[in-house]
């Protein structure tokens, strides 16, 4: 596969910044993998945790968030590299807010389910 | 005139990056273990029941387990490609003296193919995980 055209624009960033951007991508990928592992683990290890259908839906939603996060982390890496190449400001990340809200909401739902468990 | 040498990278950037790749592979193995566990539990239930042969559930979970193995192999290959570059060219550049920082910086960044393959392997694992959740 050829490198996309934007990789030939601007100047190649300092390798330290390139590698920092790569590590940020990997940190998001690990967050995504943690969501995947958590979703399968809840489904398998806590079968009485919620009625079957609710448990499956919650776990599949967590896995779907993990999949979306993996795609978004690649796009974010590409955008940041483009910004660095062209000397532009790094774009504001809505990922931080979205993940904070998502994880908080998941924790709230799980807490409520544990409390109302018969 | 004596010119002060460019300071050596104090952040150990290649080492941190290669450790980040290793951690990522480990994180994927944790997710794999749960999927593989679901398959083994289902196989155990099959052998305990009277009916001979595999149930559809075990076949489906076996497919999920195989997908997880393939995605992990892809991620390990990505990590090995990056580790080779990080430990080879970058360190070579460092030992070659400060003047070669610029020369090596062009090659040591990640290629889009490697990062795309890594992200795609996680998406494929997510599909296998969702299927495993439905089947367990």
């Amino acid at each position: 596969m050829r490198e996309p055209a934007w990789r030939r624009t601007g100047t190649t960033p300092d390798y330290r910044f390139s590698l920092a951007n790569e590590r940020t991508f990997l940190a998001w990928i690990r967050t995504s993998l943690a969501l995947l592992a958590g979703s399968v683990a809840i489904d398998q290890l806590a079968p009485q945790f919620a009625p079957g259908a609710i448990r499956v839906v919650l776990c599949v939603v967590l896995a779907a968030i993990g999949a979306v996060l993996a795609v978004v982390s690649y796009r974010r890496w590409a955008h940041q590299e483009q910004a660095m190449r062209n000397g532009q400001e790094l774009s504001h990340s809505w990922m931080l807010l979205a993940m904070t809200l998502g994880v908080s909401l998941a924790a709230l739902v799980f807490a409520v389910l544990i409390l109302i468990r018969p | 005139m004596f010119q002060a040498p460019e300071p050596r990278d104090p952040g150990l950037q290649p080492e941190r990056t290669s450790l980040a790749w290793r951690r990522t592979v480990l994180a994927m193995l944790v997710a794999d273990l749960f999927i593989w566990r679901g398959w083994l539990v289902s196989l155990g239930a099959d052998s305990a029941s009277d009916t001979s042969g595999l149930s559809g559930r075990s076949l489906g979970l076996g497919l999920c387990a195989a997908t997880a193995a393939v995605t992990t192999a892809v991620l390990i290959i990505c990590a090995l490609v990056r580790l080779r570059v990080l430990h080879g060219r970058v360190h070579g550049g460092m030992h070659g003296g400060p003047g070669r920082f610029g020369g090596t910086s062009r090659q040591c960044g990640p290629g889009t193919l490697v990062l795309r393959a890594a992200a795609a392997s996680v998406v494929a694992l997510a599909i296998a995980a969702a299927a495993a959740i439905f089947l367990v």
Side-chain angles (χ1 to χ4, degrees):
Chain A
M1 192 190 77
R2 288 175 55 201
E3 291 282 319
W6 61 261
R7 284 220 106 178
R8 288 187 294 276
T9 61
T11 52
T12 306
D14 185 306
Y15 82 98
R16 286 170 287 193
F17 302 150
S18 291
L19 296 184
N21 194 18
E22 182 181 3
R23 288 197 298 276
T24 308
F25 163 80
L26 290 172
W28 280 113
I29 286 288
R30 283 195 298 278
T31 308
S32 159
L33 288 169
L35 286 172
L36 296 185
S39 67
V40 183
I42 290 168
D43 185 57
Q44 288 190 17
L45 303 181
Q48 303 92 17
F49 155 75
I54 296 179
R55 195 186 71 232
V56 168
V57 168
L58 277 177
C59 292
V60 169
V61 166
L62 279 184
I65 294 174
V68 171
L69 189 56
V71 175
V72 172
S73 51
Y74 171 78
R75 288 167 49 92
R76 179 174 149 83
W77 169 82
H79 281 137
Q80 304 288 49
E81 163 122 2
Q82 274 169 280
M84 286 196 282
R85 285 184 164 273
N86 299 314
Q88 294 159 346
E89 206 172 325
L90 296 185
S91 59
H92 174 75
S93 170
W94 54 266
M95 271 171 100
L96 298 174
L97 183 62
M99 278 305 292
T100 308
L101 291 177
V103 173
S104 309
L105 186 67
L108 191 69
V109 169
F110 286 125
V112 168
L113 281 172
I114 290 167
L115 280 175
I116 65 169
R117 191 174 47 163
Chain B
M1 275 300 279
F2 173 75
Q3 200 170 4
E6 209 175 313
R8 190 182 140 277
D9 171 18
L12 300 173
Q13 304 285 340
E15 192 170 346
R16 287 159 73 184
T17 309
S18 85
L19 286 170
W21 274 104
R22 287 159 202 249
R23 280 201 297 280
T24 308
V25 171
L26 280 175
M28 189 177 256
L29 283 173
V30 172
D32 289 341
L33 283 176
F34 284 111
I35 295 177
W36 293 334
R37 178 189 177 276
W39 179 48
L40 291 177
V41 168
S42 174
L43 283 180
D46 279 3
S47 61
S49 71
D50 294 334
T51 51
S52 60
L54 288 179
S55 63
R57 201 172 76 121
S58 290
L59 285 177
L61 284 170
L63 203 62
C64 295
T67 308
V70 171
T71 60
T72 308
V74 171
L75 192 71
I76 288 174
I77 290 169
C78 293
L80 288 176
V81 167
R82 290 299 295 144
L83 258 56
R84 233 168 60 114
V85 174
L86 290 166
H87 288 290
R89 294 195 191 153
V90 180
H91 286 172
M94 282 180 167
H95 296 150
R100 290 179 60 186
F101 271 141
T104 55
S105 68
R106 212 167 284 279
Q107 291 100 36
C108 82
T112 46
L113 177 61
V114 175
L115 299 194
R116 269 185 205 184
S121 73
V122 175
V123 172
L125 186 69
I127 293 168
I133 290 165
F134 271 117
L135 288 167
V136 162

